[in-house]
Amino acid sequence: MSTAALVTDVVTSFKANGRIVIVGASLAGLRAAEALRDEGFAGKLTLIGDEKQEPYDRPPLSKQVLKGWVPADHTLLPRSREIDAEWRLGVAATGLDRKTKNVRLANGDLVPYDRLLIATGVRSRPWFNKEEAKLKGLFTIRTSEDAGALQAALAAKPKRVLIIGAGFIGSEMASVCRELKLDVTVAERAAAPLIGALGGVIGKVAAEMQLDAGVDLRVGASVNRLEGDAKGQVRRAHLSDGTTLDVDVVVASLGSLRNVEWLEGAGLATGFWGVGCDAGCRAFDINGVVTDSIFVAGDIARAPHVLYEYQFMSAEHWDNAVFGARVAAHNMVSLEPERKPHLLVPQFWSGQFGVNIKGTGVQSFGDQVVITQGSVKERRFAAAYGKNGRIVGAVTFNHGKWLEYYTALIEKSAPFPPPPPGYDAPIDAKPLPAEFPAVGAATALPTVVLTGHDPTDRGAAFEPTRRR
Amino acid sequence: MRIVFDLNRCLGYAQCIPLAPDALKLNGEEAVMYDPNPDDSQRQQVLRAAASCPVQAIMVDFADKQEQKS
């Protein structure tokens, strides 16, 4: 048999009899499983997830579910096809042995794989004080269980809700509180809501939206201490501006942590920002060498992006999970040159205070911003972000139909400020400093992050440079 | 039944809303709010709403689509 025929035979045989294990049974895991079957993978497919529920959609949790319109367990994701998989739900993966190619589960079981997809995503960052974190009435939101508990607390008509952190999810929750006619305070350490993701100029618009809706917005304020009563129910919050607030419900909306702990000791390029991988979703080992059998998708993936100086990018976006899963699945059952890249222009949406906020590109990569269309006053506008004379991102407020126009400009690194779209152009479209907080400043991290070129975890084994 | 909106793709034309008003709502001018798992009694309306979308942003579970055909 020729080498080419041999390789074809290996691929055919793997597709027929191989074993693929997907760790993480949420959006990315499910879509990867479906894509693998679409690609003709007929072998054994196992999905492992630490939550008991089958894959469900998370974006509705901070909106429809909190509002009480949709029950927390009614966001199950539609399927595109049968996937004929073995489901291991309600049991977390706790370890990975790359030598024997086994995933270790919390109950001690070993699940063998030929190819592995890591899609364990993120979890919400817990309240920093462990004792206070036990208080009743203190919530974080990530899972449907979290959302169900918080919804019940809001439905009980608390006297005041305190939301700590005004990123997208914190702001969405504040919006729901106002729609439910609840008194709500938002404490944000930085100068404006959404500032980490969209900068100070647009953050100011977000702040005005909150104030107009009747949110008690405290910017430049953090919460130093939470106080409970004898029954362990949260009653009071002490803010850094010296004020205290009587509260019944506190939501810590402090961003997320990547679920990488189970990979400790596996020798992969894991760290604070997730698992490093190439643009084809193949995981890097700790030395930066690409692996052949381990793939990464969704919130936990961190890959270099051609549009952004090949910096590693990680994106906690719905799109990134769906498209990353498809590319990972394709590459798991394909060889070069059929492999595809996952090079998405990142996009997000957020519904809050009756305004549809949509983004494209990486806003925080820019240092300038210009309002290109519409009217900020009417909260119906588009803004573009630029760096070094190129457009790198855009955001729209109730102007979503124009997002594709800006995406196309970003894809070809068009000049900044961008050419006028010839429609609805504001009279005074001057670029301004975008006012992003300094790297490391205390505020919510944006959901799409460029994480530089360096591994965050310096564990590489350097080749000794001996002269002989 | 199960649906999900690709809200990146959705451009807020809102053609879907009047076709399934119990399952889909507009929050403000262009932000869609929807029931991801509407009651089966809603199936016909929701399928019509999904078909009406100019950018095909509404994904319906394959099993729910099959019931439509039969």
Side-chain angles (χ1 to χ4, degrees):
Chain A
M1 203 187 268
S2 73
T3 309
L6 203 63
V7 168
T8 308
D9 191 50
V10 167
V11 173
T12 311
S13 141
F14 174 71
K15 277 179 146 180
N17 310 306
R19 294 166 304 179
I20 291 182
V21 172
I22 299 174
V23 186
S26 192
L27 181 61
L30 174 64
R31 293 296 178 243
E34 290 170 345
L36 281 166
R37 293 305 191 203
D38 283 343
E39 296 274 349
F41 177 70
K44 186 172 164 62
L45 184 57
T46 309
L47 273 109
I48 298 165
D50 62 345
E51 291 183 69
K52 286 202 183 80
Q53 255 196 316
E54 54 178 296
Y56 61 89
D57 206 32
R58 296 184 199 274
L61 298 179
S62 57
K63 309 175 188 82
Q64 296 95 303
V65 170
L66 277 197
K67 199 160 173 196
W69 181 38
V70 172
D73 56 357
H74 276 220
T75 76
L76 297 175
L77 281 164
R79 310 288 180 85
S80 71
R81 54 167 299 140
E82 297 280 4
I83 53 174
D84 184 26
E86 187 183 337
W87 293 83
R88 305 289 302 259
L89 296 180
V91 54
T94 54
L96 171 64
D97 186 336
R98 287 167 60 209
K99 280 222 173 75
T100 61
K101 292 192 147 190
N102 276 294
V103 174
R104 197 163 49 249
L105 302 186
N107 63 8
D109 285 1
L110 292 178
V111 185
Y113 66 86
D114 298 310
R115 291 216 151 159
L116 173 72
L117 178 65
I118 297 171
T120 40
V122 303
R123 63 183 181 277
S124 54
R125 183 188 299 272
W127 183 241
F128 66 91
N129 181 312
K130 286 206 176 98
E131 277 309 304
E132 292 172 13
K134 291 178 196 155
L135 288 170
K136 278 177 238 149
L138 171 63
F139 300 87
T140 57
I141 188 165
R142 174 71 191 170
T143 67
S144 71
E145 207 182 325
D146 297 340
L150 179 54
Q151 191 275 324
L154 296 184
K157 304 237 175 282
K159 283 200 288 291
R160 179 164 294 274
V161 179
L162 169 63
I163 293 168
I164 307 171
F168 285 110
I169 294 178
S171 300
E172 286 173 1
M173 291 191 290
S175 171
V176 169
C177 285
R178 290 310 298 146
E179 287 167 42
L180 294 171
K181 307 214 182 324
L182 295 172
D183 284 335
V184 57
T185 298
V186 172
E188 164 59 44
R189 289 193 292 185
L194 312 184
I195 195 169
L198 300 178
V201 173
I202 304 300
K204 199 173 143 231
V205 184
E208 283 162 7
M209 281 163 44
Q210 299 214 1
L211 294 170
D212 285 359
V215 174
D216 170 31
L217 176 65
R218 314 276 187 100
V219 293
S222 50
V223 175
N224 291 342
R225 194 159 66 84
L226 297 172
E227 204 182 302
D229 61 16
K231 289 179 186 157
Q233 162 70 40
V234 68
R235 287 297 174 208
R236 190 161 300 143
H238 298 262
L239 274 65
S240 61
D241 60 10
T243 58
T244 58
L245 278 175
D246 290 333
V247 291
D248 311 309
V249 171
V250 177
V251 192
S253 186
L254 307 170
S256 51
L257 297 173
R258 281 153 177 85
N259 293 319
V260 292
E261 291 78 3
W262 70 282
L263 295 166
E264 208 170 289
L268 293 176
T270 59
F272 178 80
W273 293 115
V275 183
C277 59
D278 72 3
C281 309
R282 295 183 298 172
F284 289 133
D285 77 5
I286 205 160
N287 300 308
V289 178
V290 75
T291 58
D292 291 325
S293 53
I294 303 178
F295 293 72
V296 198
D299 292 355
I300 198 174
R302 172 178 179 260
H305 200 301
V306 58
L307 272 181
Y308 301 102
E309 297 173 348
Y310 290 98
Q311 282 196 57
F312 279 75
M313 184 169 92
S314 68
E316 297 170 60
H317 290 168
W318 198 86
D319 248 10
N320 183 44
V322 171
F323 290 103
R326 270 186 218 156
V327 172
H330 172 83
N331 289 347
M332 285 175 101
V333 294
S334 308
L335 292 176
E336 194 210 346
E338 272 76 41
R339 287 201 170 130
K340 290 180 188 165
H342 169 52
L343 287 177
L344 197 64
V345 176
Q347 300 201 350
F348 71 84
W349 77 88
S350 171
Q352 47 182 283
F353 305 102
V355 174
N356 189 28
I357 304 177
K358 297 185 87 167
T360 181
V362 181
Q363 294 78 14
S364 59
F365 188 63
D367 49 22
Q368 288 197 303
V369 65
V370 60
I371 308 295
T372 47
Q373 285 177 288
S375 153
V376 171
K377 216 170 151 193
E378 292 167 28
R379 281 160 204 161
R380 178 192 59 77
F381 66 91
Y385 292 78
K387 184 179 185 175
N388 299 333
R390 301 277 165 197
I391 179 171
V392 296
V395 68
T396 62
F397 279 50
N398 272 354
H399 222 57
K401 288 186 184 67
W402 282 88
L403 207 71
E404 284 176 48
Y405 171 79
Y406 293 99
T407 303
L409 293 178
I410 293 164
E411 275 172 1
K412 52 185 187 211
S413 287
F416 177 90
Y423 166 81
D424 202 14
I427 302 155
D428 188 16
K430 246 190 285 175
L432 301 165
E435 294 174 11
F436 282 100
V439 174
T443 185
L445 292 163
T447 47
V448 51
V449 190
L450 295 167
T451 62
H453 301 92
D454 303 328
T456 48
D457 189 25
R458 288 284 292 266
F462 296 100
E463 191 81 21
T465 49
R466 287 198 198 108
R467 287 165 204 263
R468 292 192 179 178
Chain B
M1 69 180 299
R2 297 180 184 187
I3 57 168
V4 72
F5 271 63
D6 180 342
L7 288 173
N8 290 306
R9 196 185 286 182
C10 170
L11 295 179
Y13 287 103
Q15 307 266 14
C16 56
I17 308 280
L19 293 168
D22 291 335
L24 318 174
K25 289 176 187 174
L26 210 53
N27 192 12
E29 281 174 39
E30 64 171 51
V32 177
M33 289 255 282
Y34 65 97
D35 181 350
N37 299 163
D39 191 82
D40 285 347
S41 63
Q42 299 271 314
R43 185 174 284 112
Q44 288 311 318
Q45 287 101 304
V46 172
L47 289 173
R48 257 179 238 139
S52 80
C53 177
V55 292
Q56 293 293 289
I58 309 170
M59 175 185 173
V60 178
D61 193 285
F62 76 98
D64 291 309
K65 279 195 282 197
Q66 279 166 354
E67 284 189 38
Q68 158 84 342
K69 279 175 201 152
S70 61

